[in-house]
Amino acid sequence: MNFILYIFVFVYYIESIYTVQKAKNDSILVEFFPIYFFIIPCMIGTMIQGFFFGISTIWLCVAIAFIIVYIEIQISISFIDDLSGLYNRKYMNHYLNKLQNDKTKHVYGFLMDINDFKAINDIYGHLKGDQAIIQFGKILQNSIDKDSVAIRMGGDEFVIFAILKSNEEGLALKKRIEQNVRQFNTNSTEPFHLSFSIGIAKYSGNIETFLSSMDDSMYEAKNMHRLMQ
């Protein structure tokens, strides 16, 4: 009877891992529930108790698993920007450090700045300025796929890092963001309209050059926006 119970428990563990992995493949945001950190200690406790009858280890390992999950969730939360819900600059530094050690990926960077953000704050107040940040964050999150990451660097500056195969895919992502911004401006009841300047660069192995190229490209677009006003 105990053997059958252990089989059911292990089937549950495996099904839990499968469900989370399937959700990740379906682009559902689940990375902030570290299921493996919970399941693996529980599996170890179950195996020990199953092999050594009379030794109760399951609940001890469950308690350890909860502590590990709590620590991991706190670490994950520290990477999230409170206002926009996107990743923050701390995560950006973490991402760039990993990128420096992995030169096989074709990573493109999209540095963005909300146009006339100061005017939104001055005319409509800082609460509406916060709403502009929140809405632009949602637009970026809805514009990217599972291989991309959207980050709020600070203020009204944002960046996307995307694994793309070509410059054409980079332009397609830019157009998708522009389309989603236009859709927001058409459908939103907010008193402000959003627009942005964007700089695009491809990572070539040097982080400093990568960031500088994005920055130069974005400020060139920003100057063009000012000239057109």
Side-chain angles (χ1 to χ4, degrees), residues 108-168:
Y108 286 74
F110 301 75
L111 180 62
M112 287 158 285
D113 182 276
I114 298 177
N115 291 328
D116 306 314
F117 181 69
K118 184 177 183 301
I120 294 175
N121 276 326
D122 291 344
I123 297 171
Y124 304 110
H126 288 281
L127 289 179
K128 289 301 178 182
D130 287 349
Q131 272 301 311
I133 296 292
I134 293 168
Q135 295 304 325
F136 193 68
K138 288 180 180 178
I139 289 169
L140 296 186
Q141 191 63 53
N142 292 332
S143 300
I144 61 176
D145 59 22
K146 64 180 181 179
D147 292 323
S148 306
V149 58
I151 296 167
R152 182 188 177 204
M153 294 179 63
D156 61 326
E157 285 194 339
F158 298 79
V159 65
I160 288 175
F161 295 120
I163 301 173
L164 304 172
K165 296 177 181 177
S166 64
N167 294 338
E168 287 72 22

Side-chain angles (χ1 to χ4, degrees), residues 19-134:
T19 300
V20 171
Q21 195 60 48
K22 184 177 183 300
K24 286 184 177 180
N25 293 336
D26 292 339
S27 299
I28 299 172
L29 188 64
V30 293
E31 57 263 47
F32 293 135
F33 182 75
I35 188 71
Y36 300 107
F37 290 104
F38 182 77
I39 292 295
I40 291 173
C42 293
M43 290 180 70
I44 292 172
T46 304
M47 290 172 64
I48 293 173
Q49 186 164 321
F51 286 127
F52 300 98
F53 183 76
I55 299 177
S56 180
T57 57
I58 291 179
W59 291 113
L60 172 63
C61 289
V62 168
I64 293 172
F66 272 119
I67 292 171
I68 294 172
V69 168
Y70 175 79
I71 293 171
E72 287 297 318
I73 289 176
Q74 295 306 307
I75 293 172
S76 298
I77 289 173
S78 73
F79 284 136
I80 299 298
D81 176 62
D82 290 335
L83 184 58
S84 66
L86 303 180
Y87 289 112
N88 58 21
R89 185 149 197 156
K90 180 180 178 181
Y91 181 83
M92 184 182 105
N93 295 334
H94 169 71
Y95 183 96
L96 292 174
N97 286 334
K98 287 178 61 179
L99 179 62
Q100 207 163 18
N101 298 323
D102 184 2
K103 300 184 183 332
T104 61
K105 293 179 179 178
H106 299 285
V107 175
Y108 286 74
F110 301 75
L111 180 62
M112 287 158 285
D113 182 276
I114 298 177
N115 291 328
D116 306 314
F117 181 69
K118 184 177 183 301
I120 294 175
N121 276 326
D122 291 344
I123 297 171
Y124 304 110
H126 288 281
L127 289 179
K128 289 301 178 182
D130 287 349
Q131 272 301 311
I133 296 292
I134 293 168

Side-chain angles (χ1 to χ4, degrees), residues 152-218:
R152 182 188 177 204
M153 294 179 63
D156 61 326
E157 285 194 339
F158 298 79
V159 65
I160 288 175
F161 295 120
I163 301 173
L164 304 172
K165 296 177 181 177
S166 64
N167 294 338
E168 287 72 22
E169 288 190 358
L171 292 175
L173 176 54
K174 178 187 174 185
K175 289 181 180 178
R176 190 156 62 245
I177 298 169
E178 290 171 342
Q179 181 179 354
N180 289 340
V181 167
R182 284 195 296 270
Q183 187 174 356
F184 168 82
N185 290 335
T186 300
N187 300 331
S188 174
T189 58
E190 295 289 353
F192 56 83
H193 278 192
L194 291 175
S195 71
F196 64 97
S197 299
I198 184 169
I200 305 174
K202 182 180 179 182
Y203 177 64
S204 58
N206 185 288
I207 296 295
E208 188 175 339
T209 302
F210 182 44
L211 296 176
S212 179
S213 297
M214 277 193 292
D215 198 55
D216 292 343
S217 179
M218 188 199 73

